[in-house]
Amino acid sequence: GGNITVWNATAASASATEITKHDLGNPVDALFFIGNQLVALNNAGKVAVWNSMTRHWKVQTITPITSHDTAGSSLLLGCANGKIFYIDMEKFPLRMKDNDLLVTQLYEDPCREAVTALSVYFTPKMCGNSNWLEIAYGTSSGTVRVIVEHPETLGQGFQLLQTFTVHRSPVNRVMLGEKHLVSVCSEFNHVRTWTVTRFRGCLSTQPGSLPLASFNVISLEPGRGTEAAQLPTCSSSIGPFGDHDGDQVFVQRVVPVTQELYIRLSSTGKRLCVLHSVDNSAITAHYVHEFDPSSRSRRYVMTGHANGALQVLIDHVFVNLNCPVFRHVFILFRGH
C-alpha cells in the first residue's frame, strides 16, 4: 500500500510516538532519508517529501521513475522518458505558482532511452574551489553514459563525456567511483567494469577508461533474471556497496534457500569471504547499512532468516580488503 507513518523513538523510552501519517495513493517503491527529510518514491512518478522542519508533506508527480541516487543533500531521479531530474533537499525549493516541490530537469539522454540506473560522484577537493559533478547512468537498451559538469562551465548544463555499449539488456545498477566504473545489467547480473583515468582528481579522456573485467553475480531468485530494471529492493540487492572513494563489494545470495552469502570485489569479481548463518537457518533477505562515510566508516550486513531471526554482522571487509573479517555476529531479534 501507499501508507507512510513516521515515528519518534528514543533510547530512554520503550515506546514510540507517532509524528505523521501520509497516504501516497500508490505503492511506495522506495523510502529513505536525505538528512532530516524523508523521501518516498513510486515507480509511476510520484515523489513525496516530508520536511522535518515544517513537518508537512510535499508531493509532486513527474514521469515514471526508473532509478534514483543521492549525493549529499541532492536527489537525482532517472525517468522512463530519458530525463534526469534533480531536487536539492538542503534548499528545499518550492514552486512559486502552487507552493509544490520544485523538480528541476538536469539532463536528457541523447536517444531518450529510459534511465534505469544512476550513480553520482563529487570531487570536492581536487578541482579548484568548485565541485566537479560526475554522473554515470545506464539505460534500458544496455548503454552506459558518463556526463560531467565542469567548474568553468557551470550553468551551461552537463556535457557527455563517455559512452559504453557493452550490455544487451537493461542496466539496473551502476557505480562511478574514484578508481572504477561498474555496471550491472539485468541478464543474470552481468557485470562490466572499467578503470577510470583521472587528472588532479577529475575524469579524463586521455587515455580514457580502460576495460577491467567481465563476470556474473548469479542470483537464482524467483522473478529475477532478464526483466526490466526497477527501483532496487532491500531484500535482494547485490550492490555494489561501499564508499565511492574506496573499493566496493557485491553481496551474492546464489539460491533462494541458503545459509551463506558471498562477498565479492565489485571491480574484479574476486571472492573475499563467505558469511554463514550463525544458527544454520536459511537466509531469506539481506541489506547493507552504511553510515559515517566521512571518517572511520562502519557497515553492517543485516540478514533476515526463515525462522524470524535478524542477524547483524559488523563488516571489516569494507575497511580493510587485505583482512576480510566479519566479527561481532549476533542475533538481534527472533519472532514472527
Side-chain angles (χ1 to χ4, degrees):
N3 294 318
I4 305 169
T5 305
V6 181
W7 299 84
N8 179 30
T10 61
S13 174
S15 60
T17 304
E18 181 181 307
I19 299 176
T20 182
K21 277 187 176 181
H22 182 72
D23 185 4
L24 191 62
N26 298 92
V28 179
D29 295 299
L31 187 67
F32 51 91
F33 279 96
I34 299 180
N36 293 324
Q37 324 290 357
L38 178 63
V39 181
L41 301 179
N42 169 260
N43 287 338
K46 274 197 174 182
V47 183
V49 179
W50 179 69
N51 190 321
S52 63
M53 300 298 295
T54 63
R55 297 200 170 187
H56 290 157
W57 286 91
K58 294 293 182 181
V59 181
Q60 185 61 271
T61 301
I62 58 177
T63 56
I65 300 171
T66 48
S67 60
H68 71 276
D69 192 30
T70 63
S73 62
S74 303
L75 170 63
L76 275 78
L77 304 171
C79 296
N81 60 359
K83 295 181 179 180
I84 299 176
F85 293 96
Y86 162 82
I87 304 174
D88 189 338
M89 293 297 172
E90 187 174 29
K91 296 179 181 178
F92 204 73
L94 301 177
R95 297 195 303 188
M96 294 292 292
K97 62 178 182 179
D98 53 12
N99 206 38
D100 271 349
L101 190 65
L102 179 62
V103 182
T104 305
Q105 181 178 326
L106 208 62
Y107 185 77
E108 184 174 7
D109 181 73
C111 299
R112 297 181 180 177
E113 297 173 352
V115 179
T116 52
L118 269 175
S119 178
V120 186
Y121 181 69
F122 283 107
T123 57
K125 298 181 180 179
M126 303 301 293
C127 303
N129 296 324
S130 302
N131 285 334
W132 176 300
L133 182 60
E134 305 167 350
I135 299 175
Y137 71 90
T139 71
S140 56
S141 70
T143 302
V144 178
R145 303 187 195 274
V146 179
I147 58 176
V148 298
E149 186 175 59
H150 301 233
E152 61 270 17
T153 60
L154 191 65
Q156 299 181 17
F158 279 81
Q159 307 296 317
L160 179 61
L161 187 69
Q162 293 173 315
T163 299
F164 305 94
T165 52
V166 294
H167 294 291
R168 297 181 299 178
S169 299
V171 177
N172 52 20
R173 296 172 188 86
V174 65
M175 173 70 79
L176 177 61
E178 181 183 15
K179 302 176 183 178
H180 302 106
L181 171 63
V182 179
S183 66
V184 186
C185 81
S186 59
E187 186 176 4
F188 304 110
N189 288 333
H190 176 224
V191 183
R192 292 296 299 263
T193 67
W194 296 264
T195 301
V196 298
T197 303
R198 295 187 178 276
F199 177 71
R200 295 180 179 175
C202 301
L203 277 178
S204 173
T205 56
Q206 302 295 330
S209 301
L210 302 175
L212 179 60
S214 175
F215 57 94
N216 290 80
V217 184
I218 299 296
S219 180
L220 302 178
E221 296 185 48
R224 309 293 291 183
T226 58
E227 77 281 6
Q230 295 179 343
L231 294 179
T233 59
C234 298
S235 62
S236 58
S237 177
I238 64 171
F241 301 104
D243 295 336
H244 289 257
D245 294 329
D247 294 293
Q248 295 92 34
V249 299
F250 287 116
V251 179
Q252 181 182 16
R253 189 170 87 235
V254 179
V255 294
V257 181
T258 182
Q259 300 174 4
E260 56 188 20
L261 298 176
Y262 298 99
I263 306 299
R264 300 176 61 178
L265 194 62
S266 66
S267 58
T268 62
K270 177 184 176 182
R271 184 188 297 179
L272 298 175
C273 67
V274 181
L275 303 185
H276 293 274
S277 171
V278 296
D279 59 355
N280 295 321
S281 61
I283 299 173
T284 56
H286 64 268
Y287 183 67
V288 178
H289 176 65
E290 307 176 47
F291 65 97
D292 194 21
S294 61
S295 58
R296 298 190 58 178
S297 58
R298 281 288 181 86
R299 293 166 182 85
Y300 292 91
V301 178
M302 302 180 182
T303 55
H305 296 256
N307 62 358
L310 174 66
Q311 299 180 13
V312 180
L313 305 95
I314 296 181
D315 181 0
H316 286 257
V317 169
F318 294 86
V319 179
N320 182 6
L321 291 176
N322 296 319
C323 182
V325 176
F326 283 76
R327 62 184 183 182
H328 302 308
V329 182
F330 53 96
I331 301 177
L332 275 190
F333 176 78
R334 188 188 299 275
H336 306 291

